[in-house]
Amino acid sequence: MANDEKSTPASRLVRVIESPVFRIVVPLLIVAISVFVLHKLASEVHWSDVKAEIDASTWTTIAAAVMWTAVSFLGLSFYDILAVRSVAKERIPSWVAGLAGSSGSAVSNLLGFSYLTGTAVRYRAYASLGLDLGRVAGVIATSWVGLWMGLILLLGVFLTLHPANLSTVLPLDSTTEVILGTVLLIGLAALLLWLARGGRRFSFAGIEFDLPNGRLAGGLTIAGVVDLGGAALTLYVLMPPDLVQSFPYFFVVFVGAVALAMLSHAPGGLGVFEAAIIAGMGAAGRSDVLAALLLYRAIYTILPFLVAVTGLGIAWVATERGTVTKTATLVYDLTRPFVPFATAGIALLAGTILLISGNLPADTTRLGVLRDVVPLSFIEASHLVGSIVGLLLIVISRGLFRKLYRAWVIAMILMVVGFVVSLVKGLDWEEALGLLVTIGLLGLFRSAFYRVESASVFRLNGTWIVSLVTLVVAITWIGALSYSNVEYRDALWWDFAWHSDASRYLRASLVVAFLLAAISLDSVLSNRRTPKRGEPIPDVVRQLVAESEDTEANMALIGDKSFLISGDGKAFIAYADTGTSLITKGEPVGAEEQGRDLIWELRERADREGKRCAFYAVSPRYLPTYLDLGLSIMKIGEVARADLKGFTLNGSSKKGFRQSRNRAEREGYSFEVIPKEDLSRVLPELKAISDSWLASKQGEEKSFSLGGFEESYVSNFDHAVLRDPDGKIVAFANLFQGGNKHELSLDLMRYVPDGPGFAMDALFAEMMLWGAAQGFRWFSLGSSPFSGIDNRQLASFWNRVGGFVYEHGEHFYHFEGLRSFKEKFDPVWEPNYLASPGGLAVPRILYEVNVLVSGGIRGLVK
């Protein structure tokens, strides 16, 4: 509550913007307004007029548009080429960066994720080529700088020159325009001069990278001009000449339309971009403008996507043939991250074609041919099935994006069905041929789909729901536009005739809307993934735990984990399934060779199920194997072990423990170790102590890396107890005893809240002395979170975060105090690591560990 009161208005605004409601409501609101505006502006336009305008387009105009598209994508490729030279020149060849930039943008343009630069696609590509989070962020951020510098240069020139008609879209007088343009140009020149001096470095949230020098910054600016200018000119040459007499005016409208499209989350900004262009250009009711926008979609969005996917398919097949060369390996590493996006785009494009086709009037000549061969009922059914298949293909694209095998099988079946119905509903051979090509393209990537997941492939997350709703609304509007000259009446719903295209459109739209609503509702209600319950503990696991010298192996007996056991029974690995990740507590138990195989097996299982794989709280023992898996290593603390050989309570550092033990003896308290075979007689008493201790802490039982007081769990161990003079137990701890008496440790250590203050220190001292007397070599004092992490400027980003938490998180957790307590025993410190996917997956894994241990933030605070 205190944190809320101290939060600033800016921080509250950030929380609102980042909230799921805001991220869903705002895009949907933009889409709703855009579709409404688009409908009003184009209400007088008939589809037949739009089609006639498209047919009337000259080949010279089409060729010019294709040329400017190529120019724009050349600029997109140079963003990455120059950014890589600035940030990671020695790691990524220029031609690879160029392909990543242009191909990534071609794929992401269709999907609607980052309309101009394809940030998400490129992040995966560069990360797969070995760049760490900081350098990937540097490449992407540098390319974004190029985009903005190019935009500033163009706007600065236009404002300074004050061309005609610009004041129509920017309500500024000529003097203000010139001043604003001059300020932009001077600011850009100052930035270039500042960078030209060299040695500039950017730092944000622990991520640092070198900024480009003046020469590279100038190149990025030119790339930005080429990209934005080429994209705008692609549409400019397609627009009616009488409408776009001023390119500066058109460019400002174009940039605004692109910005709104990006905010909408719609695939390619469909509908939003068109509404903004028509409104900004004052082109209401013009069929030639709608025709130009449709051609722009085909040339700037679909054509580059098809070229990129075809090239990707050829490269994929070539590298899959097994030729092991440096270039083949590099090409494979480059193409692999694009496969999920490409296949999702293929399904999205195929589904969109089927939906649009179902909303447009059929060719009367072709229907006449079918009339003598196919019954009307077949035409009606195929039309409806085609629309349903189109929607399902779009929905299934998320499963393809996640490399799910079932999604690939279902997509192939849906495309075959779509191929058949395309021919039956109206001899749409162009559409059928396109689907045949998509079947071939999807078939090329068969080997990329190997993941198996229990959840339905028809379930979507919030972002996909928004994108899908937006796309379907835009496509439905296209149908409404096509039949705007048809007078609506109730009888249309039941009008079954050869030329009742409007009726078929209405019925198909209604079914698609209901199906979409059902899928979205099911996704919202069922999309939460809950951790799976642990498995019964096999006897071989109990045996291996008893033989293990590492006492942390006893965490496998909590009962909340699943197990992978080697075929010969010589090793096992315990893990928890959070629904999105498989996370181990510790490393394999048993033989090292079999343990290494189990690590690979768990990683492969997680990959097949489309989940992350992480190894939490592991020692350096298997670090080479984790690195071979492609995982990142993050130090999360250190484990302290006290030497019990010749252990005593002598020395100033142990004075408090010595005094507590002596006082307990003077006042008649006694120490005892109760074997697990005799534990049943004192379990009720221990349970009462545990409950009262837990209530005093206002906390809840932990799990995963900390045991709770469950009879099935505590009954596995001997217990150390401290009794008062009346024989009542006032404190207890369960004892972890390693094989060959290598190590002694504990998990639960609880006491009567109103008991003597010295009880815990006395019990702790007695346990260590007992362990030394029994011949144990080490006493594990457990881990000290974030201890021993160097928070230095050149350390990795997440290590710097951990070091910051250790230094400044004392208010929430006594990090330094815990380490100081353990230092009293002069322990040997061993590093403790998290091996997990790198980048932004690290905080997600740590949060899921927290959920497993404490049940989430609320449990952690308590």
Side-chain angles (χ1 to χ4, degrees):
M1 198 69 179
N3 290 338
D4 291 339
E5 292 171 359
K6 294 180 182 179
S7 62
T8 64
S11 64
R12 288 194 294 270
L13 178 61
V14 170
R15 286 199 298 271
V16 170
I17 293 175
E18 291 181 345
S19 66
V21 174
F22 185 89
R23 285 182 292 172
I24 292 176
V25 171
V26 170
L28 285 179
L29 187 61
I30 292 174
V31 170
I33 294 173
S34 299
V35 172
F36 175 78
V37 170
L38 189 61
H39 183 70
K40 288 294 184 182
L41 295 176
S43 58
E44 301 300 322
V45 177
H46 301 301
W47 171 247
S48 57
D49 298 331
V50 176
K51 190 176 180 181
E53 293 287 352
I54 293 176
D55 293 338
S57 300
T58 63
W59 283 108
T60 55
T61 302
I62 301 296
V66 171
M67 180 194 71
W68 287 119
T69 296
V71 169
S72 177
F73 275 84
L74 181 64
L76 284 168
S77 67
F78 268 93
Y79 283 148
D80 289 64
I81 292 172
L82 296 173
V84 162
R85 288 183 181 178
S86 173
V87 178
K89 181 179 179 180
E90 73 281 4
R91 300 291 298 274
I92 307 294
S94 295
W95 68 270
V96 173
L99 283 176
S102 57
S103 301
S105 297
V107 174
S108 63
N109 280 358
L110 186 74
L111 294 176
F113 302 118
S114 190
Y115 186 83
L116 287 177
T117 59
T119 300
V121 189
R122 288 154 59 215
Y123 174 85
R124 292 197 175 192
Y126 289 128
S128 72
L129 293 176
L131 292 191
D132 57 31
L133 175 62
R135 292 199 177 192
V136 173
V139 170
I140 295 174
T142 303
S143 62
W144 270 97
V145 169
L147 170 69
W148 282 101
M149 289 195 298
L151 180 60
I152 291 172
L153 178 59
L154 285 172
L155 288 179
V157 170
F158 291 155
L159 289 170
T160 303
L161 298 179
H162 182 56
N165 300 322
L166 189 60
S167 57
T168 307
V169 66
L170 294 175
L172 302 172
D173 58 72
S174 58
T175 303
T176 304
E177 281 186 20
V178 172
I179 292 174
L180 183 58
T182 303
V183 169
L184 289 176
L185 293 176
I186 291 174
L188 179 61
L191 175 62
L192 292 173
L193 289 174
W194 180 71
L195 292 173
R197 298 179 64 182
R200 304 303 183 185
R201 194 167 176 82
F202 179 81
S203 176
F204 177 74
I207 297 178
E208 295 187 356
F209 54 89
D210 293 325
L211 291 173
N213 57 35
R215 183 177 179 182
L216 286 178
L220 285 166
T221 304
I222 295 173
V225 171
V226 172
D227 166 31
L228 292 169
L233 284 167
T234 301
L235 180 57
Y236 183 78
V237 299
L238 294 170
M239 295 285 278
D242 64 300
L243 188 66
V244 288
Q245 297 178 9
S246 169
F247 178 74
Y249 172 82
F250 172 80
F251 179 79
V252 173
V253 174
F254 179 85
V255 170
V258 168
L260 279 175
M262 292 174 65
L263 288 173
S264 71
H265 291 316
L270 185 63
V272 178
F273 177 80
E274 285 76 9
I277 290 292
I278 293 174
M281 297 302 299
R286 294 193 57 160
S287 58
D288 51 358
V289 173
L290 278 176
L293 288 168
L294 288 174
L295 287 172
Y296 174 78
R297 284 291 179 186
I299 295 171
Y300 194 82
T301 302
I302 297 177
L303 179 61
F305 170 77
L306 292 177
V307 172
V309 170
T310 303
L312 178 62
I314 295 171
W316 180 266
V317 172
T319 54
E320 283 279 293
R321 295 176 63 183
T323 303
V324 182
T325 65
K326 185 176 180 180
T327 302
T329 302
L330 187 60
V331 170
Y332 180 78
D333 289 338
L334 176 64
T335 57
R336 183 177 56 185
F338 290 104
V339 169
F341 291 89
T343 53
I346 291 171
L348 184 69
L349 181 60
T352 301
I353 291 173
L354 282 171
L355 281 177
I356 292 177
S357 173
N359 289 348
L360 297 179
D363 188 296
T364 54
T365 303
R366 297 177 183 181
L367 273 180
V369 175
L370 288 174
R371 189 169 188 172
D372 300 328
V373 182
V374 181
L376 176 60
S377 57
F378 276 55
I379 301 295
E380 298 286 355
S382 61
H383 190 281
L384 187 60
V385 170
S387 296
I388 294 174
V389 167
L391 175 66
L392 295 181
L393 275 173
I394 297 173
V395 173
I396 211 72
S397 61
R398 181 173 184 252
L400 294 172
F401 171 77
R402 302 180 65 229
K403 304 180 186 177
L404 299 180
Y405 175 70
R406 282 186 297 135
W408 182 84
V409 171
I410 294 173
M412 293 294 278
I413 294 173
L414 288 173
M415 287 185 182
V416 171
V417 173
F419 172 79
V420 173
V421 299
S422 295
L423 296 174
V424 174
K425 71 179 182 178
L427 283 181
D428 292 330
W429 64 267
E430 302 95 340
E431 180 181 309
L433 181 60
L435 284 168
L436 201 59
V437 171
T438 58
I439 291 172
L441 286 172
L442 202 59
L444 288 177
F445 301 115
R446 164 63 188 88
S447 60
F449 300 92
Y450 54 88
R451 289 178 172 172
V452 180
E453 189 179 83
S454 57
S456 171
V457 294
F458 293 102
R459 287 180 185 164
L460 307 169
N461 60 19
T463 303
W464 282 81
I465 290 175
V466 171
S467 298
L468 183 55
V469 169
T470 302
L471 183 60
V472 171
V473 169
I475 292 173
T476 304
W477 173 82
I478 292 175
L481 174 68
S482 303
Y483 302 106
S484 57
N485 60 333
V486 178
E487 183 180 353
Y488 174 79
R489 60 185 189 278
D490 291 342
L492 279 176
W493 293 100
W494 316 110
D495 189 4
F496 297 93
W498 284 98
H499 300 294
S500 297
D501 292 314
S503 300
R504 283 191 280 272
Y505 155 72
L506 286 175
R507 290 190 291 269
S509 298
L510 180 64
V511 171
V512 166
F514 272 117
L515 186 57
L516 174 59
I519 291 172
S520 301
L521 184 62
D522 176 69
S523 299
V524 170
L525 296 178
S526 308
N527 208 31
R528 290 185 176 272
R529 298 186 180 187
T530 56
K532 294 183 179 180
R533 294 182 178 274
E535 301 173 358
I537 303 172
D539 291 338
V540 66
V541 169
R542 296 184 183 276
Q543 179 183 347
L544 289 170
V545 168
E547 296 172 354
S548 175
E549 294 183 348
D550 184 1
T551 54
E552 282 298 299
N554 289 278
M555 290 287 104
L557 304 180
I558 293 177
D560 61 347
K561 299 176 180 68
S562 300
F563 303 96
L564 273 180
I565 304 172
S566 63
D568 56 10
K570 292 184 178 180
F572 77 87
I573 192 167
Y575 67 94
D577 186 345
T578 68
T580 57
S581 305
L582 303 184
I583 305 176
T584 72
K585 169 56 182 81
E587 52 205 16
V589 177
E592 186 168 344
E593 182 178 351
Q594 286 83 348
R596 190 177 299 109
D597 292 338
L598 289 175
I599 291 174
W600 276 100
E601 186 177 343
L602 184 68
R603 176 70 175 86
E604 290 161 358
R605 172 177 292 190
D607 193 48
R608 286 195 305 271
E609 295 178 3
K611 299 174 182 177
R612 303 181 190 91
C613 183
F615 301 84
Y616 175 73
V618 296
S619 73
R621 181 181 182 187
Y622 290 101
L623 284 189
T625 305
Y626 302 136
L627 292 172
D628 288 343
L629 294 179
L631 300 179
S632 296
I633 307 299
M634 174 185 172
K635 189 175 182 180
I636 57 175
E638 293 179 308
V639 175
R641 288 182 171 86
D643 191 349
L644 291 182
K645 188 176 182 180
F647 177 81
T648 68
L649 293 178
N650 297 330
S652 59
S653 62
K654 306 184 188 73
K655 179 180 177 181
F657 294 97
R658 185 170 63 249
Q659 291 177 343
S660 295
R661 179 174 181 264
N662 292 337
R663 181 179 176 184
E665 288 182 348
R666 288 196 306 269
E667 296 186 12
Y669 286 82
S670 60
F671 172 77
E672 177 187 359
V673 174
I674 302 175
K676 59 185 177 182
E677 294 81 10
D678 300 333
L679 196 64
S680 57
R681 60 184 175 84
V682 296
L683 267 180
E685 189 175 0
L686 299 183
K687 180 70 164 60
I689 295 172
S690 177
D691 290 345
S692 61
W693 178 87
L694 202 62
S696 70
K697 300 297 181 183
Q698 297 183 347
E700 299 173 356
E701 291 285 16
K702 308 300 183 183
S703 191
F704 189 62
S705 63
L706 295 170
F709 195 96
E710 295 289 340
E711 183 175 340
S712 60
Y713 170 62
V714 298
S715 296
N716 292 298
F717 312 106
D718 297 345
H719 278 61
V721 301
L722 188 68
R723 296 183 183 273
D724 66 10
D726 297 326
K728 293 182 179 179
I729 298 175
V730 295
F732 73 90
N734 62 332
L735 296 174
F736 287 173
Q737 302 177 59
N740 302 319
K741 292 193 175 181
H742 178 76
E743 185 177 83
L744 178 68
S745 185
L746 59 94
D747 180 25
L748 293 173
M749 190 171 182
R750 297 181 177 180
Y751 57 89
V752 177
D754 55 357
F758 57 80
M760 292 301 291
D761 283 353
L763 178 61
F764 201 87
E766 292 285 7
M767 282 190 294
M768 296 190 73
L769 290 170
W770 179 86
Q774 295 295 316
F776 284 94
R777 182 67 178 83
W778 299 96
F779 188 96
S780 176
L781 298 165
S783 65
S784 180
F786 300 114
S787 171
I789 299 177
D790 289 329
N791 184 9
R792 298 175 183 266
Q793 182 175 357
L794 297 180
S796 69
F797 171 69
W798 295 118
N799 270 32
R800 294 186 64 185
V801 171
F804 179 86
V805 171
Y806 182 81
E807 293 174 10
H808 303 284
E810 194 71 16
H811 176 70
F812 302 100
Y813 190 88
H814 300 297
F815 297 106
E816 186 61 40
L818 182 62
R819 183 181 176 91
S820 297
F821 169 81
K822 296 174 181 180
E823 283 283 8
K824 296 178 181 179
F825 299 96
D826 299 321
V828 175
W829 293 95
E830 182 180 75
N832 210 16
Y833 297 103
L834 168 70
S836 75
L840 299 179
V842 173
R844 178 67 189 178
I845 291 293
L846 290 174
Y847 174 75
E848 290 183 359
V849 169
N850 170 47
V851 171
L852 291 171
V853 176
S854 305
I857 298 298
R858 179 174 175 270
L860 178 65
V861 172
K862 294 181 69 176

